[in-house]
Coordinates of all heavy atoms in Angstrom, one line a residue:
M615 N 0.8 -1.2 0.0 CA 0.0 0.0 0.0 C 0.9 1.2 0.0 O 1.9 1.3 0.7 CB -0.9 0.0 1.2 CG -1.9 1.1 1.2 SD -3.0 1.2 2.7 CE -3.9 -0.3 2.6
E616 N 0.5 2.2 -0.8 CA 1.3 3.4 -0.9 C 1.1 4.3 0.3 O 0.1 4.2 1.1 CB 0.9 4.2 -2.1 CG 1.1 3.4 -3.4 CD 0.6 4.2 -4.6 OE1 0.4 5.4 -4.6 OE2 0.2 3.5 -5.6
N617 N 2.1 5.1 0.6 CA 2.1 5.9 1.8 C 0.9 6.9 1.8 O 0.3 7.1 2.9 CB 3.4 6.7 1.9 CG 4.6 5.9 2.3 OD1 4.4 4.8 2.9 ND2 5.8 6.3 2.0
W618 N 0.5 7.5 0.7 CA -0.6 8.4 0.8 C -1.9 7.7 1.1 O -2.8 8.2 1.7 CB -0.7 9.2 -0.5 CG -1.1 8.4 -1.7 CD1 -0.3 7.8 -2.6 CD2 -2.4 8.2 -2.2 NE1 -1.0 7.2 -3.6 CE2 -2.3 7.4 -3.4 CE3 -3.7 8.5 -1.7 CZ2 -3.5 7.0 -4.1 CZ3 -4.8 8.1 -2.4 CH2 -4.7 7.4 -3.6
K619 N -2.0 6.4 0.7 CA -3.2 5.6 1.0 C -3.2 5.3 2.5 O -4.3 5.3 3.1 CB -3.3 4.4 0.1 CG -3.7 4.6 -1.3 CD -4.0 3.3 -2.0 CE -4.4 3.5 -3.4 NZ -4.7 2.3 -4.1
R620 N -2.0 5.0 3.0 CA -2.0 4.7 4.4 C -2.4 5.9 5.3 O -3.1 5.8 6.2 CB -0.6 4.2 4.8 CG -0.2 2.9 4.4 CD 1.2 2.5 4.8 NE 1.5 1.2 4.3 CZ 2.7 0.6 4.3 NH1 3.7 1.3 4.9 NH2 2.9 -0.5 3.8
A621 N -1.9 7.1 4.8 CA -2.2 8.3 5.5 C -3.7 8.6 5.4 O -4.3 9.0 6.4 CB -1.4 9.5 5.0
L622 N -4.3 8.4 4.2 CA -5.7 8.6 4.1 C -6.5 7.7 4.9 O -7.5 8.1 5.6 CB -6.1 8.5 2.6 CG -7.5 8.7 2.2 CD1 -8.0 10.1 2.5 CD2 -7.8 8.3 0.8
L623 N -6.1 6.4 4.9 CA -6.8 5.4 5.7 C -6.8 5.7 7.2 O -7.8 5.7 7.9 CB -6.3 4.0 5.4 CG -6.8 2.9 6.2 CD1 -8.3 2.7 5.9 CD2 -6.1 1.6 5.9
A624 N -5.6 6.0 7.7 CA -5.4 6.3 9.1 C -6.1 7.6 9.5 O -6.8 7.7 10.6 CB -3.9 6.4 9.5
G625 N -6.0 8.6 8.7 CA -6.7 9.9 9.0 C -8.2 9.8 9.0 O -8.9 10.3 9.9
S626 N -8.7 9.1 8.0 CA -10.2 9.0 7.9 C -10.7 8.1 9.0 O -11.8 8.4 9.6 CB -10.6 8.6 6.5 OG -10.1 7.3 6.2
A627 N -10.0 7.1 9.3 CA -10.5 6.2 10.4 C -10.4 6.9 11.7 O -11.3 6.8 12.6 CB -9.6 4.9 10.4
G628 N -9.3 7.6 11.9 CA -9.2 8.4 13.2 C -10.3 9.5 13.3 O -10.9 9.6 14.4
L629 N -10.5 10.2 12.2 CA -11.6 11.2 12.3 C -13.0 10.6 12.5 O -13.8 11.2 13.1 CB -11.5 12.0 11.0 CG -10.4 13.1 10.9 CD1 -10.4 13.7 9.5 CD2 -10.6 14.2 11.9
S630 N -13.2 9.4 11.9 CA -14.4 8.7 12.1 C -14.7 8.4 13.5 O -15.8 8.7 14.1 CB -14.4 7.5 11.2 OG -15.6 6.7 11.5
V631 N -13.7 7.9 14.2 CA -13.8 7.6 15.6 C -14.0 8.8 16.4 O -14.9 8.9 17.3 CB -12.5 6.8 16.1 CG1 -12.5 6.7 17.6 CG2 -12.5 5.4 15.5
I632 N -13.3 9.9 16.1 CA -13.4 11.1 16.9 C -14.9 11.7 16.7 O -15.5 12.1 17.7 CB -12.4 12.2 16.4 CG1 -11.0 11.7 17.0 CG2 -12.7 13.6 17.0 CD1 -9.9 12.5 16.4
C633 N -15.3 11.7 15.5 CA -16.7 12.2 15.2 C -17.7 11.4 15.9 O -18.7 11.9 16.5 CB -17.0 12.2 13.7 SG -16.1 13.5 12.8
L634 N -17.6 10.1 15.9 CA -18.5 9.2 16.6 C -18.5 9.4 18.1 O -19.6 9.4 18.8 CB -18.3 7.7 16.3 CG -18.7 7.3 14.9 CD1 -18.2 5.9 14.6 CD2 -20.2 7.5 14.6
L635 N -17.3 9.6 18.7 CA -17.2 9.9 20.1 C -17.8 11.2 20.5 O -18.4 11.4 21.6 CB -15.8 9.8 20.6 CG -15.1 8.4 20.6 CD1 -13.7 8.5 20.9 CD2 -15.9 7.5 21.5
K636 N -17.7 12.2 19.6 CA -18.3 13.5 19.9 C -19.8 13.6 19.6 O -20.4 14.5 19.9 CB -17.6 14.6 19.1 CG -16.2 14.9 19.6 CD -15.6 16.1 18.9 CE -14.4 16.5 19.6 NZ -13.9 17.8 19.1
G637 N -20.3 12.5 19.0 CA -21.8 12.4 18.8 C -22.2 12.8 17.4 O -23.4 12.9 17.1
S638 N -21.3 13.1 16.5 CA -21.6 13.4 15.1 C -21.6 12.2 14.3 O -20.6 11.7 13.7 CB -20.5 14.4 14.6 OG -20.8 14.6 13.2
R639 N -22.8 11.6 14.2 CA -22.9 10.3 13.4 C -22.7 10.5 11.9 O -22.0 9.7 11.3 CB -24.3 9.8 13.6 CG -24.6 9.2 14.9 CD -25.9 8.5 14.9 NE -26.5 8.6 16.2 CZ -27.8 8.6 16.5 NH1 -28.6 8.4 15.5 NH2 -28.2 8.6 17.7
T640 N -23.1 11.7 11.4 CA -22.9 11.9 10.0 C -21.5 12.0 9.6 O -21.0 11.4 8.6 CB -23.6 13.3 9.6 OG1 -25.0 13.2 10.0 CG2 -23.6 13.5 8.1
G641 N -20.7 12.8 10.4 CA -19.3 12.9 10.1 C -18.6 11.5 10.3 O -17.7 11.2 9.5
G642 N -19.0 10.8 11.3 CA -18.4 9.4 11.5 C -18.7 8.5 10.4 O -17.8 7.8 9.9
L643 N -19.9 8.5 9.8 CA -20.2 7.7 8.7 C -19.5 8.1 7.4 O -19.0 7.2 6.7 CB -21.7 7.7 8.5 CG -22.5 6.9 9.5 CD1 -24.0 7.1 9.2 CD2 -22.2 5.5 9.5
I644 N -19.4 9.4 7.2 CA -18.7 9.9 6.0 C -17.2 9.5 6.1 O -16.7 8.9 5.1 CB -18.8 11.4 5.9 CG1 -20.3 11.7 5.5 CG2 -17.8 11.9 4.8 CD1 -20.6 13.2 5.5
F645 N -16.5 9.8 7.2 CA -15.1 9.4 7.3 C -14.9 7.9 7.3 O -13.9 7.4 6.8 CB -14.4 10.1 8.5 CG -14.3 11.6 8.3 CD1 -14.9 12.5 9.1 CD2 -13.5 12.1 7.3 CE1 -14.8 13.8 9.0 CE2 -13.4 13.5 7.1 CZ -14.0 14.3 7.9
G646 N -15.8 7.2 7.9 CA -15.7 5.7 7.9 C -15.9 5.2 6.5 O -15.2 4.2 6.1
G647 N -16.7 5.8 5.7 CA -16.9 5.4 4.3 C -15.7 5.6 3.5 O -15.3 4.8 2.6
V648 N -15.0 6.8 3.8 CA -13.8 7.1 3.1 C -12.7 6.0 3.4 O -12.0 5.5 2.5 CB -13.3 8.5 3.4 CG1 -11.8 8.7 2.9 CG2 -14.2 9.5 2.9
A649 N -12.6 5.6 4.7 CA -11.7 4.6 5.1 C -12.0 3.3 4.4 O -11.1 2.6 3.9 CB -11.7 4.4 6.6
L650 N -13.2 2.9 4.4 CA -13.6 1.6 3.7 C -13.4 1.7 2.2 O -13.0 0.7 1.6 CB -15.1 1.3 4.0 CG -15.3 0.7 5.4 CD1 -16.8 0.5 5.6 CD2 -14.6 -0.6 5.6
A651 N -13.6 2.8 1.6 CA -13.4 3.0 0.1 C -11.9 2.8 -0.2 O -11.5 2.2 -1.2 CB -14.0 4.3 -0.4
T652 N -11.1 3.4 0.7 CA -9.6 3.3 0.5 C -9.2 1.8 0.6 O -8.4 1.3 -0.2 CB -8.9 4.1 1.5 OG1 -9.4 5.5 1.5 CG2 -7.4 4.1 1.3
L653 N -9.7 1.1 1.6 CA -9.4 -0.3 1.7 C -9.9 -1.1 0.5 O -9.2 -2.0 0.0 CB -10.0 -0.9 3.0 CG -9.2 -0.7 4.3 CD1 -9.9 -1.2 5.5 CD2 -7.8 -1.3 4.2
A654 N -11.1 -0.8 0.1 CA -11.7 -1.5 -1.0 C -10.9 -1.3 -2.3 O -10.8 -2.2 -3.2 CB -13.1 -1.1 -1.2
S655 N -10.3 -0.1 -2.5 CA -9.5 0.2 -3.7 C -8.2 -0.6 -3.7 O -7.7 -0.9 -4.7 CB -9.3 1.7 -3.8 OG -8.3 2.1 -2.9
E656 N -7.7 -0.9 -2.5 CA -6.4 -1.6 -2.4 C -6.6 -3.1 -2.4 O -5.8 -3.8 -2.9 CB -5.8 -1.2 -1.0 CG -4.4 -1.7 -0.9 CD -3.4 -1.1 -1.9 OE1 -3.6 0.0 -2.4 OE2 -2.4 -1.8 -2.2
Y657 N -7.7 -3.6 -1.8 CA -8.0 -5.0 -1.8 C -9.4 -5.4 -2.4 O -10.3 -5.8 -1.6 CB -7.9 -5.5 -0.3 CG -6.6 -5.2 0.4 CD1 -6.6 -4.2 1.3 CD2 -5.5 -5.9 0.0 CE1 -5.4 -3.9 2.0 CE2 -4.3 -5.5 0.7 CZ -4.2 -4.5 1.6 OH -3.1 -4.2 2.2
P658 N -9.6 -5.2 -3.7 CA -10.9 -5.5 -4.2 C -11.4 -6.9 -4.1 O -12.5 -7.2 -4.0 CB -10.8 -5.0 -5.7 CG -9.3 -5.0 -6.0 CD -8.6 -4.8 -4.7
D659 N -10.4 -7.9 -4.2 CA -10.8 -9.3 -4.2 C -11.3 -9.7 -2.8 O -12.3 -10.4 -2.7 CB -9.6 -10.2 -4.5 CG -9.1 -10.0 -5.9 OD1 -9.9 -9.5 -6.8 OD2 -7.9 -10.2 -6.2
K660 N -10.7 -9.2 -1.8 CA -11.2 -9.5 -0.4 C -12.5 -8.9 -0.2 O -13.4 -9.6 0.5 CB -10.2 -8.9 0.6 CG -8.9 -9.7 0.7 CD -9.1 -11.1 1.3 CE -7.8 -11.8 1.5 NZ -8.0 -13.1 2.0
F661 N -12.8 -7.7 -0.6 CA -14.1 -7.1 -0.4 C -15.2 -7.8 -1.2 O -16.3 -7.9 -0.8 CB -14.1 -5.6 -0.8 CG -13.7 -4.7 0.4 CD1 -12.3 -4.6 0.8 CD2 -14.6 -4.1 1.1 CE1 -12.0 -3.8 1.9 CE2 -14.3 -3.3 2.2 CZ -13.0 -3.2 2.6
A662 N -14.8 -8.3 -2.4 CA -15.8 -9.1 -3.2 C -16.1 -10.4 -2.5 O -17.3 -10.8 -2.4 CB -15.2 -9.4 -4.6
E663 N -15.1 -11.0 -1.8 CA -15.4 -12.2 -1.1 C -16.3 -11.9 0.1 O -17.2 -12.7 0.4 CB -14.0 -12.7 -0.6 CG -14.1 -14.1 0.1 CD -12.7 -14.5 0.6 OE1 -11.7 -14.3 -0.2 OE2 -12.6 -15.0 1.7
I664 N -16.0 -10.9 0.9 CA -16.8 -10.5 2.0 C -18.2 -10.2 1.6 O -19.2 -10.6 2.2 CB -16.2 -9.3 2.8 CG1 -14.9 -9.7 3.5 CG2 -17.2 -8.7 3.8 CD1 -14.1 -8.6 4.0
R665 N -18.4 -9.5 0.5 CA -19.7 -9.1 0.0 C -20.5 -10.4 -0.4 O -21.7 -10.4 -0.2 CB -19.5 -8.2 -1.2 CG -20.7 -7.4 -1.5 CD -20.4 -6.3 -2.5 NE -21.4 -6.4 -3.6 CZ -21.3 -5.7 -4.7 NH1 -20.3 -5.0 -5.0 NH2 -22.3 -5.8 -5.6
A666 N -19.8 -11.4 -0.9 CA -20.5 -12.6 -1.3 C -21.0 -13.4 -0.1 O -22.0 -14.0 -0.1 CB -19.6 -13.5 -2.1
K667 N -20.2 -13.2 1.1 CA -20.6 -13.9 2.3 C -21.5 -13.1 3.2 O -21.9 -13.6 4.3 CB -19.3 -14.3 3.1 CG -18.5 -15.3 2.4 CD -17.2 -15.7 3.2 CE -16.4 -16.7 2.6 NZ -15.2 -17.0 3.4
L668 N -21.8 -11.9 2.8 CA -22.6 -11.0 3.7 C -24.0 -11.6 4.1 O -24.4 -11.5 5.3 CB -22.8 -9.7 3.0 CG -23.1 -8.5 3.9 CD1 -22.1 -8.3 5.0 CD2 -23.2 -7.2 3.0
P669 N -24.7 -12.3 3.2 CA -26.0 -12.9 3.6 C -25.8 -13.9 4.8 O -26.6 -14.0 5.7 CB -26.6 -13.5 2.4 CG -26.0 -12.7 1.3 CD -24.6 -12.4 1.8
D670 N -24.8 -14.7 4.7 CA -24.5 -15.7 5.7 C -24.2 -15.0 7.0 O -24.6 -15.4 8.1 CB -23.3 -16.6 5.3 CG -23.1 -17.7 6.2 OD1 -24.1 -18.3 6.7 OD2 -21.9 -18.0 6.5
Y671 N -23.4 -13.9 7.0 CA -23.1 -13.2 8.2 C -24.4 -12.6 8.8 O -24.5 -12.6 10.1 CB -22.1 -12.1 7.9 CG -20.7 -12.5 7.5 CD1 -20.0 -11.8 6.6 CD2 -20.2 -13.7 8.0 CE1 -18.7 -12.2 6.2 CE2 -18.9 -14.1 7.6 CZ -18.2 -13.3 6.8 OH -16.9 -13.7 6.4
A672 N -25.2 -12.1 8.0 CA -26.5 -11.5 8.5 C -27.4 -12.6 9.1 O -28.0 -12.4 10.2 CB -27.2 -10.8 7.4
E673 N -27.4 -13.8 8.5 CA -28.2 -14.9 9.1 C -27.7 -15.3 10.4 O -28.4 -15.5 11.4 CB -28.2 -16.0 8.1 CG -29.1 -17.2 8.6 CD -29.1 -18.3 7.6 OE1 -28.8 -18.1 6.4 OE2 -29.3 -19.5 8.0
R674 N -26.3 -15.4 10.5 CA -25.7 -15.8 11.8 C -26.0 -14.8 12.9 O -26.2 -15.1 14.0 CB -24.2 -16.0 11.6 CG -23.8 -17.2 10.9 CD -22.3 -17.4 10.8 NE -21.9 -18.5 10.0 CZ -20.7 -18.8 9.8 NH1 -19.7 -18.0 10.3 NH2 -20.4 -19.8 9.0
G675 N -25.9 -13.5 12.5 CA -26.2 -12.4 13.5 C -27.6 -12.4 14.0 O -27.8 -12.3 15.2
S676 N -28.6 -12.7 13.1 CA -29.9 -12.7 13.5 C -30.2 -13.9 14.4 O -31.0 -13.9 15.3 CB -30.9 -12.7 12.3 OG -30.7 -13.9 11.5
T677 N -29.6 -15.0 14.1 CA -29.7 -16.2 14.9 C -29.2 -16.0 16.3 O -29.8 -16.3 17.3 CB -29.0 -17.4 14.3 OG1 -29.5 -17.7 13.0 CG2 -29.1 -18.7 15.1
F678 N -28.0 -15.3 16.4 CA -27.4 -14.9 17.7 C -28.3 -14.0 18.5 O -28.5 -14.2 19.7 CB -26.0 -14.3 17.4 CG -25.4 -13.8 18.7 CD1 -24.8 -14.7 19.6 CD2 -25.4 -12.4 19.0 CE1 -24.2 -14.2 20.8 CE2 -24.8 -12.0 20.2 CZ -24.2 -12.9 21.0
L679 N -28.9 -13.0 17.8 CA -29.8 -12.1 18.5 C -31.1 -12.8 19.0 O -31.6 -12.5 20.1 CB -30.2 -11.0 17.6 CG -29.1 -10.0 17.3 CD1 -29.6 -8.9 16.3 CD2 -28.7 -9.3 18.6
E680 N -31.6 -13.8 18.2 CA -32.7 -14.6 18.7 C -32.4 -15.4 20.0 O -33.2 -15.4 20.9 CB -33.2 -15.6 17.6 CG -33.9 -14.9 16.4 CD -34.2 -15.9 15.3 OE1 -34.2 -17.1 15.6 OE2 -34.5 -15.5 14.2
V681 N -31.2 -16.0 20.0 CA -30.8 -16.7 21.2 C -30.7 -15.8 22.4 O -31.1 -16.1 23.5 CB -29.5 -17.5 20.9 CG1 -28.9 -18.1 22.2 CG2 -29.7 -18.6 19.9
V682 N -30.1 -14.7 22.2 CA -29.9 -13.7 23.3 C -31.3 -13.2 23.8 O -31.5 -13.1 25.0 CB -29.0 -12.5 22.8 CG1 -29.0 -11.4 23.8 CG2 -27.6 -13.0 22.6
S683 N -32.2 -13.0 22.9 CA -33.5 -12.6 23.2 C -34.2 -13.6 24.1 O -34.9 -13.3 25.1 CB -34.3 -12.3 22.0 OG -35.6 -12.0 22.3
R684 N -34.1 -14.9 23.7 CA -34.7 -16.0 24.4 C -34.1 -16.1 25.8 O -34.9 -16.3 26.8 CB -34.5 -17.3 23.7 CG -35.4 -17.5 22.5 CD -35.3 -18.9 21.9 NE -35.6 -18.8 20.5 CZ -35.0 -19.6 19.6 NH1 -34.1 -20.5 20.0 NH2 -35.3 -19.5 18.3
V685 N -32.8 -15.9 25.9 CA -32.2 -16.0 27.2 C -32.7 -14.9 28.1 O -33.0 -15.0 29.3 CB -30.6 -16.0 27.1 CG1 -30.0 -15.7 28.4 CG2 -30.1 -17.2 26.5
G686 N -32.8 -13.7 27.5 CA -33.3 -12.5 28.3 C -34.7 -12.7 28.8 O -35.1 -12.4 29.9
E687 N -35.6 -13.3 27.9 CA -37.0 -13.6 28.3 C -37.0 -14.6 29.4 O -37.8 -14.5 30.4 CB -37.8 -14.1 27.1 CG -38.1 -13.1 26.1 CD -38.7 -13.7 24.8 OE1 -38.9 -14.9 24.8 OE2 -38.9 -12.9 23.9
R688 N -36.2 -15.6 29.4 CA -36.2 -16.7 30.4 C -35.7 -16.1 31.7 O -36.2 -16.4 32.8 CB -35.3 -17.8 30.0 CG -35.9 -18.7 28.9 CD -35.1 -19.9 28.6 NE -35.8 -20.6 27.5 CZ -35.2 -21.6 26.8 NH1 -34.0 -21.9 27.1 NH2 -35.8 -22.2 25.9
L689 N -34.7 -15.2 31.7 CA -34.2 -14.5 32.9 C -35.3 -13.7 33.5 O -35.5 -13.6 34.7 CB -32.9 -13.7 32.6 CG -31.7 -14.5 32.4 CD1 -30.5 -13.6 32.0 CD2 -31.3 -15.3 33.6
A690 N -36.0 -13.0 32.7 CA -37.1 -12.1 33.1 C -38.2 -13.0 33.8 O -38.8 -12.6 34.8 CB -37.7 -11.3 32.0
D691 N -38.5 -14.1 33.2 CA -39.5 -15.0 33.8 C -39.1 -15.5 35.1 O -39.9 -15.6 36.1 CB -39.8 -16.2 32.8 CG -40.5 -15.8 31.6 OD1 -41.1 -14.7 31.6 OD2 -40.5 -16.6 30.6
V692 N -37.8 -15.9 35.2 CA -37.3 -16.4 36.5 C -37.3 -15.3 37.6 O -37.7 -15.6 38.7 CB -35.9 -17.0 36.3 CG1 -35.2 -17.2 37.7 CG2 -35.9 -18.2 35.5
A693 N -37.0 -14.1 37.2 CA -37.0 -13.0 38.1 C -38.5 -12.7 38.6 O -38.7 -12.4 39.7 CB -36.4 -11.8 37.5
E694 N -39.4 -12.8 37.7 CA -40.8 -12.6 38.1 C -41.3 -13.7 39.1 O -42.0 -13.4 40.0 CB -41.7 -12.6 36.8 CG -41.7 -11.4 36.1 CD -42.7 -11.4 34.9 OE1 -43.7 -12.2 35.0 OE2 -42.4 -10.7 33.9
R695 N -40.9 -14.9 38.8 CA -41.4 -16.0 39.7 C -40.8 -15.9 41.1 O -41.4 -16.2 42.0 CB -41.0 -17.4 39.1 CG -41.9 -17.8 38.0 CD -41.6 -19.2 37.6 NE -41.4 -19.2 36.1 CZ -40.4 -19.8 35.5 NH1 -39.5 -20.5 36.2 NH2 -40.3 -19.7 34.2
R696 N -39.5 -15.5 41.1 CA -38.9 -15.4 42.4 C -39.4 -14.1 43.2 O -39.3 -14.0 44.4 CB -37.4 -15.3 42.3 CG -36.8 -16.6 41.9 CD -35.3 -16.5 42.0 NE -34.7 -17.8 41.8 CZ -33.4 -18.1 41.8 NH1 -32.6 -17.1 42.1 NH2 -33.0 -19.3 41.6
G697 N -39.8 -13.1 42.4 CA -40.3 -11.9 43.1 C -39.1 -11.1 43.5 O -38.0 -11.3 43.2
S698 N -39.4 -10.2 44.4 CA -38.3 -9.3 44.9 C -37.8 -9.8 46.2 O -37.0 -9.1 46.9 CB -38.8 -7.9 45.0 OG -39.9 -7.9 46.0
A699 N -38.2 -11.0 46.7 CA -37.7 -11.5 48.0 C -36.2 -11.7 48.0 O -35.5 -11.4 49.0 CB -38.4 -12.8 48.3
W700 N -35.6 -12.2 46.9 CA -34.2 -12.5 46.9 C -33.4 -11.1 46.9 O -32.4 -11.0 47.5 CB -33.8 -13.3 45.7 CG -34.0 -12.6 44.4 CD1 -35.1 -12.5 43.6 CD2 -33.1 -11.8 43.7 NE1 -35.0 -11.7 42.5 CE2 -33.7 -11.3 42.5 CE3 -31.7 -11.4 43.9 CZ2 -33.0 -10.4 41.6 CZ3 -31.1 -10.6 43.0 CH2 -31.7 -10.1 41.9
Y701 N -34.0 -10.1 46.3 CA -33.3 -8.8 46.3 C -33.4 -8.2 47.7 O -32.4 -7.6 48.1 CB -34.0 -7.9 45.2 CG -33.4 -6.5 45.2 CD1 -32.1 -6.4 44.6 CD2 -34.0 -5.4 45.7 CE1 -31.6 -5.1 44.5 CE2 -33.5 -4.2 45.6 CZ -32.2 -4.0 45.0 OH -31.6 -2.8 45.0
E702 N -34.5 -8.3 48.3 CA -34.6 -7.8 49.7 C -33.7 -8.5 50.6 O -33.1 -7.9 51.5 CB -36.1 -7.8 50.1 CG -37.0 -6.9 49.4 CD -38.5 -7.1 49.7 OE1 -38.8 -8.0 50.5 OE2 -39.3 -6.4 49.1
A703 N -33.6 -9.8 50.5 CA -32.7 -10.6 51.3 C -31.3 -10.2 51.1 O -30.5 -10.2 52.1 CB -32.9 -12.1 51.1
L704 N -31.0 -9.9 49.9 CA -29.6 -9.5 49.6 C -29.3 -8.1 50.2 O -28.2 -7.9 50.7 CB -29.4 -9.5 48.0 CG -28.1 -9.1 47.5 CD1 -27.1 -10.2 47.9 CD2 -28.1 -8.9 46.0
M705 N -30.2 -7.3 50.2 CA -30.0 -5.9 50.7 C -30.0 -5.9 52.2 O -29.4 -5.0 52.8 CB -31.1 -5.0 50.2 CG -31.1 -4.8 48.7 SD -29.6 -4.2 48.0 CE -29.6 -2.5 48.5
E706 N -30.5 -6.8 52.9 CA -30.5 -6.9 54.4 C -29.2 -7.2 54.9 O -28.8 -6.8 56.0 CB -31.6 -7.9 54.9 CG -33.0 -7.4 54.7 CD -34.0 -8.5 55.2 OE1 -33.5 -9.5 55.7 OE2 -35.2 -8.3 55.0
R707 N -28.4 -8.0 54.2 CA -27.1 -8.4 54.7 C -26.0 -7.3 54.7 O -25.8 -6.4 54.3 CB -26.5 -9.6 53.9 CG -27.4 -10.8 54.1 CD -26.8 -11.9 53.4 NE -27.7 -13.1 53.7 CZ -27.5 -14.3 53.3 NH1 -26.4 -14.5 52.5 NH2 -28.3 -15.3 53.6

């Protein structure tokens, strides 16, 4: 990778993080897009491979979120059944 591309990548990624931390989503997305475009111009084959696998990644992510949601629901059910007695007993000690 050429030096100017490295500088562009580092600068835009850094500015993206700074903008996101300051609360400017638009600036963060713009600079993040510049960083991704720079990477895509340098490694087009890798990005094509990732793009081809994107539906699989999305499916895995949704499956993971479903599992986490079920676990959260079960924890909420257990907490309802036990009531607040365990919390009160914990606070007394």
